[in-house]
Amino acid sequence: MTFALWLTVGGALLLIMVISGSMLSRLPVSTSMLYLLAGLVIGPLGLALASPRLADHVVLLEHLTEVIVLLSLFTSGMKMSLGLNDQRWFPPLRLALGSMVATVVLISVAGVALLGLPVGAAVLLGGILAPTDPVLATEVQVDDPADRDQLRFALTGEGGLNDGTAFPVVMLGLGLLGAHELGTLGWRWLAVDVLWATGAGLAIGAALGTGLGRLVLYLRHRHHEATGYENFLALGLIALAYGLAVLAQAYGFLAVFAAGLALRHSAKLDSDAAVAALGIAPSAHAEAAAALSVEHAHHSPLSARAEQMATDPRHASAYMAHAVLSFNEQLDRIGEMAGVVVVGLLLWAVPWMPAALWFVPLMLLVVRPLSVAAALAGSRISPSQRRLIAWFGIRGIGSLYYLSYAINHGLPAAHVDTVVALTLAVVVSSIVLHGISVTPLMARYRRRRRGAR
């Protein structure tokens, strides 16, 4: 498949999304389903324009999915404007930790008892499939930073956090298979892969997001400098946070999510300070922020009007946050397209297993609901919200990243086919089943919320 043909297919998909996007939002069909179909049509199962094999491109797949997940994690962090002392953080934290651990345990038991996998391979499979996906879950995530819906907030936070907290499980699985050093009685894994890598990743991302946000806003308020180039601000912060975290042997995914969260939080603190200093009523300030979004949509970042808003203490923080988030959301959508098309392209060469027929229902209908029930036991989440959280445990690009990472870092060849087949079976099933159900279920949920008010 030539470069020109790739451009033709990519351009056609992008234009189809522009033309049919609003119609798709009303139908039980997700954009990811169309991307998956496009990949199938391009591959040997369709027109045979390309015939890639996972084994031949696993390094490329690791880096592609890595970039896609990084963009999505930063976007997720930027959407979450609640302060860290807000009680609504408890459900996503419990899901990212408790639900993930329960998922790994249940998958590991099934892997050993029902699939005959060694413990290391079963734990690794659990680590690959445990994280919910921030890339394919945009329709159930926070719509905008002002969205306070607990369901959306919980799913957004879970997807942002557990794509990083799954890394220790993957490293444990590789260690049990002899492909990673765990240390005597696992001391190195606990000290380095769990405590240091997690804590340092969060600290690096939080420090960079907070420091850079304050610096940019200070330069804009006081000196009318550092205006425009919000696109570079987003990409630069993502790359810097991820690069420094990896160099420090910390988890870059957590660093990038924390950087987006910290950048949003620093903008919110600056905005609140401006409200207090200028005596603006909170409601008036909210209206100004809403108007700001409209202004930003109609003005070039280099226009005089845009530069005035970017440096005005009343609007600067909201302008920066909105511009960064808007740019990153567009990249996120492009990443979704690229990642899911690749999934469709690879399906023809996957060694499908009969075990997938029972493993996928077990994963989606048993493991996910049980893990959510365990994590949210005693919480204030309503029964209807718990059911939706249990269903929308979407698996996607994050699982593909961990799959390719495991293959590239020593997953024994004897277990590759099994892990690949089950991972892609779960991902494809999630894309189709969740894609069909998300529009009617979320529409019903919104109607119930309006009726409750």
Side-chain angles (χ1 to χ4, degrees), residues 342-434:
V342 167
V343 172
L345 274 171
L346 294 174
L347 292 183
W348 74 278
V350 173
W352 294 110
M353 303 172 54
L357 296 176
W358 60 260
F359 184 82
V360 171
L362 178 72
M363 177 70 202
L364 300 181
L365 303 178
V366 179
V367 172
R368 174 63 180 179
L370 286 178
S371 65
V372 169
L376 296 181
S379 71
R380 297 181 180 178
I381 299 290
S382 69
S384 62
Q385 289 175 328
R386 292 191 194 201
R387 287 192 293 270
L388 288 174
I389 290 172
W391 173 242
F392 287 119
I394 300 172
R395 268 61 182 181
I397 307 302
S399 292
L400 289 184
Y401 168 75
Y402 283 117
L403 171 65
S404 54
Y405 179 92
I407 295 173
N408 288 328
H409 289 79
L411 174 62
H415 307 304
V416 168
D417 285 353
T418 300
V419 175
V420 168
L422 295 179
T423 299
L424 286 179
V426 170
V427 169
V428 171
S429 299
S430 181
I431 290 173
V432 175
L433 295 175
H434 292 125

Side-chain angles (χ1 to χ4, degrees), residues 265-277:
H265 190 60
S266 65
K268 183 177 184 300
L269 291 177
D270 181 86
S271 179
D272 292 343
V275 169

Side-chain angles (χ1 to χ4, degrees), residues 45-248:
L45 298 178
L47 301 177
L49 299 177
S51 304
R53 293 179 181 273
L54 178 60
D56 298 331
H57 302 284
V58 68
V59 174
L60 177 61
L61 180 64
E62 179 185 343
H63 293 310
L64 174 64
T65 52
E66 189 174 23
V67 171
I68 295 171
V69 173
L70 288 174
L71 293 172
S72 186
L73 290 174
F74 187 78
T75 300
S76 297
M78 285 293 297
K79 288 178 178 179
M80 307 185 76
S81 60
L82 290 178
L84 296 180
N85 59 346
D86 195 295
Q87 292 185 350
R88 279 171 285 191
W89 271 103
F90 285 112
L93 287 172
R94 293 170 68 169
L95 288 169
L97 296 175
S99 178
M100 192 197 69
V101 171
T103 299
V104 171
V105 170
L106 292 172
I107 293 177
S108 299
V109 171
V112 173
L114 302 178
L115 295 170
L117 293 173
V119 174
V123 171
L124 181 60
L125 180 62
I128 290 171
L129 292 175
T132 54
D133 196 68
V135 181
L136 306 183
T138 52
E139 293 184 66
V140 295
Q141 289 184 340
V142 171
D143 286 325
D144 59 72
D147 191 348
R148 294 294 185 265
D149 179 61
Q150 184 64 77
L151 169 67
R152 292 182 178 275
F153 190 84
L155 290 171
T156 304
E158 181 190 15
L161 287 167
N162 68 10
D163 259 303
T165 54
F167 237 121
V169 180
V170 172
M171 303 312 294
L172 176 61
L174 289 173
L176 293 173
L177 290 169
H180 178 68
E181 178 61 40
L182 298 179
T184 305
L185 298 178
W187 72 267
R188 186 189 183 282
W189 173 77
L190 179 61
V192 177
D193 296 326
V194 178
L195 300 178
W196 166 256
T198 301
L202 291 171
I204 289 170
L208 288 174
T210 301
L212 187 61
R214 290 179 177 176
L215 174 62
V216 170
L217 290 172
Y218 171 81
L219 291 173
R220 292 185 177 190
H221 292 338
R222 299 296 181 89
H223 304 286
H224 289 199
E225 298 290 347
T227 58
Y229 300 105
E230 279 82 5
N231 303 350
F232 290 0
L233 174 61
L235 293 178
L237 182 54
I238 291 171
L240 185 61
Y242 185 73
L244 288 179
V246 172
L247 290 174

